[in-house]
Amino acid sequence: MFLSVFDVFKIGVGPSSSHTMGPMSAANRFLDLIVSNEWPRPVGSHVSAIKASLHGSLAFTGIGHGTGRAVILGLMGEAPNTVDPDRMDDVIEQVERSGRITPPGHPGYDFQPATDLIFDKKQPLPGHANGMSFSAFDKDGRLLLKRIYYSIGGGFVVTDTELEAMRGQKNAAAAKVPYPFSTAKQMLEMARASGLSIADMKRANELTRMSEEKLDRGLDEIWSAMSGCIDRGLKVDGIMPGGLKVRRRAKSIYEKLTNDARSNRLNPVLANDWLSVYAMAVNEENAGGGRVVTAPTNGAAGVIPASIRYFLHFHEDATIKDVRTFLLTAAAVGGIIKHNASISGAEVGCQGEVGSAAAMAAAGLAAVMDGTPEQIENAAEIALEHHLGMTCDPVAGLVQVPCIERNALGAVKAVTAASLAIKGDGSHFVPLDAAIETMRQTGNDMSEKYKETSTGGLAVNVVEC
């Protein structure tokens, strides 16, 4: 099993990797398909209009997550990693005013968002909770092409046939990399046999696909985007969009912490305060539709950046090499979780998002604190175990309450888990693989109303402002 670090960490925009980045990418794929020769195009026919429908979790929380906007942007040719957040409103307004989408390289198609973009809450698609379909028609309204896509978490998008193939490959032959671990047990066995760290094994796997220079440059770009997101979030205040009137708090907390530092005032929970403000800064940016990095999702995007910034803040000898080690180790653990369970809140609840992020962050932190592979695996297990059963119940379908504070607490748990693991010898009672399998089973048993539909939990017990 091989999942690149650049598949786990993808630069994009908020507020949701599965509900924003995924649908935008799906729309891109449909545009590419239209102009390709990969479908049986009737002779002389031309696409004149496009329609899209959102199903399952995308339909229930799509408005709060900006899914409709993401589809429109994607159909205009905008991609998650390159779209300018400051231009998005203008692009949306242009389509709504003209009733046309005009992506580069295409002739333009009729698309009225009010009628051609459907939030279908009655008809879920069978493959995954985050399903959507795109249809293309000729000038007479005849259906020419239809494709179903699933946004499976972390910005990953697959067609219905690709999803079936993926499920059939769970036990397929290992990827052609030096260290093809698909479980934590295999990862530890390979580390013992090779004498390498988890980060070194992950690096060796990545180097089968790219040069060392390209790998390090890509890792540095990921951290630069994460760090930039923290910095922006610490400078901006005001009310976040969406109607809940939730005020940004990271800037004011940061200013208070900075003033306290100047006064040398004793603060026994200083590390927790900095962790929390860093994580909240990221997720406030995410809620505002800013530039973020899936880690492994947008909804959990604050945990890993906060943990890295915390390490850089409190460890004076930390270097960029430590950041690379952190990201590689975290990606190794994230790949195992995604392969054997899920990182999608719509599939397994928030245990799959913030829980996975905390496990990844704990592993990365244990690695840069010179932990052994066994201690690193222990750190990831502790963090994940204590997120098991966590629901995904965003109020009003917005990635604000409880998501922003939840990232702060996820970062605190990650650091605590790493610290506990480093103080042990790596031996522990519950293996990481058992925690991952428990998460998968718990997600399967969890009621749909607790899986990013906003039909249960806090979403129905908190009065909207």
Side-chain angles (χ1 to χ4, degrees):
M1 187 277 295
F2 174 76
L3 186 68
S4 174
V5 64
F6 302 113
D7 290 324
V8 176
F9 300 116
K10 295 189 286 291
I11 299 172
V13 292
S16 171
S17 49
S18 60
H19 287 59
T20 309
M21 290 173 59
M24 196 183 301
S25 297
N28 293 165
R29 290 191 61 176
F30 191 67
L31 289 177
D32 291 341
L33 181 61
I34 287 175
V35 296
S36 74
N37 295 317
E38 298 176 6
W39 57 285
R41 186 193 304 266
V43 177
S45 65
H46 300 281
V47 173
S48 177
I50 291 177
K51 297 180 185 292
S53 61
L54 305 170
H55 302 262
S57 176
L58 296 183
F60 280 100
T61 61
I63 293 176
H65 284 68
T67 307
R69 289 168 53 86
V71 168
I72 296 170
L73 290 166
L75 290 175
M76 285 291 281
E78 301 286 358
N81 62 325
T82 57
V83 63
D84 181 354
D86 295 329
R87 286 192 61 251
M88 292 193 297
D89 287 343
D90 291 339
V91 174
I92 299 294
E93 193 274 333
Q94 175 189 333
V95 175
E96 291 177 339
R97 183 182 67 253
S98 67
R100 297 274 293 171
I101 48 175
T102 54
H106 292 253
Y109 312 108
D110 292 338
F111 184 82
Q112 295 280 355
T115 56
D116 295 335
L117 178 58
I118 301 168
F119 291 79
D120 187 345
K121 297 180 180 180
K122 296 181 179 179
Q123 185 66 45
L125 297 178
H128 190 278
N130 292 331
M132 68 200 100
S133 69
F134 292 84
S135 302
F137 302 84
D138 66 12
K139 61 182 177 58
D140 296 321
R142 181 176 55 162
L143 178 65
L144 298 177
L145 174 66
K146 181 176 181 178
R147 282 292 184 274
I148 292 174
Y149 298 94
Y150 293 107
S151 181
I152 60 175
F156 291 90
V157 172
V158 294
T159 64
D160 48 356
T161 54
E162 288 168 348
L163 183 64
E164 287 303 312
M166 283 174 52
R167 289 171 173 168
Q169 291 172 358
K170 282 289 185 181
N171 299 312
K176 293 181 179 179
V177 294
Y179 305 100
F181 50 83
S182 60
T183 66
K185 180 181 178 182
Q186 291 175 352
M187 180 178 71
L188 293 179
E189 289 172 347
M190 291 179 189
R192 293 187 197 104
S194 66
L196 296 176
S197 69
I198 293 171
D200 285 341
M201 291 192 298
K202 182 65 175 167
R203 176 175 287 273
N205 289 345
E206 297 286 346
L207 292 179
T208 63
R209 280 139 170 91
M210 68 190 74
S211 67
E212 189 117 26
E213 179 183 2
K214 183 177 181 180
L215 174 59
D216 286 340
R217 183 170 63 249
L219 293 171
D220 295 347
E221 288 174 355
I222 289 171
W223 170 239
S224 177
M226 287 179 171
S227 184
C229 187
I230 293 174
D231 293 339
R232 289 193 306 275
L234 295 176
K235 295 175 182 175
V236 181
D237 56 14
I239 304 297
M240 287 176 284
L244 288 183
K245 300 180 181 178
V246 175
R247 180 173 294 277
R248 288 182 181 242
R249 290 180 288 163
K251 182 176 184 287
S252 62
I253 295 173
Y254 173 71
E255 290 172 348
K256 185 176 188 307
L257 288 172
T258 302
N259 290 333
D260 287 349
R262 294 193 186 103
S263 67
N264 292 320
R265 187 178 304 162
L266 180 65
N267 182 353
V269 291
L270 185 63
N272 282 357
D273 286 347
W274 282 109
L275 268 171
S276 297
V277 76
Y278 292 149
M280 291 174 67
V282 171
N283 284 85
E284 287 176 357
E285 276 295 290
N286 179 60
R291 180 78 61 204
V292 296
V293 179
T294 61
T297 66
N298 282 25
V303 177
I304 288 173
S307 301
I308 296 176
R309 181 66 75 86
Y310 153 84
F311 181 75
L312 296 174
H313 185 146
F314 288 99
H315 293 75
E316 295 180 356
D317 58 346
T319 68
I320 189 61
K321 289 184 178 180
D322 291 318
V323 175
R324 295 169 187 163
T325 295
F326 191 117
L327 292 172
L328 288 167
T329 307
V333 170
I336 292 172
I337 294 173
K338 186 177 187 303
H339 180 71
N340 294 291
S342 175
I343 58 171
S344 169
E347 195 168 17
V348 295
C350 199
Q351 59 176 349
E353 296 206 26
V354 172
S356 295
M360 294 164 65
L365 190 58
V368 296
M369 292 169 66
D370 298 322
T372 65
E374 289 77 15
Q375 289 171 320
I376 292 167
E377 185 260 0
N378 187 13
E381 186 281 323
I382 294 171
L384 182 58
E385 179 182 334
H386 298 290
H387 283 88
L388 292 176
M390 181 174 282
T391 58
C392 183
D393 47 359
V395 176
L398 298 168
V399 192
Q400 297 178 16
V401 181
C403 316
I404 294 170
E405 288 180 354
R406 186 166 286 176
N407 274 258
L409 272 293
V412 171
K413 285 184 181 181
V415 172
T416 302
S419 180
L420 285 172
I422 289 295
K423 290 177 174 62
D425 62 4
S427 61
H428 54 105
F429 190 78
V430 179
L432 175 57
D433 289 328
I436 294 171
E437 174 59 16
T438 302
M439 183 179 79
R440 187 192 67 80
Q441 293 177 7
T442 303
N444 286 344
D445 293 340
M446 189 181 288
S447 170
E448 292 300 316
K449 67 183 180 181
Y450 299 124
K451 294 194 282 191
E452 211 167 358
T453 60
S454 290
T455 57
L458 283 176
V460 299
N461 286 299
V462 175
V463 178
E464 296 180 22
C465 301

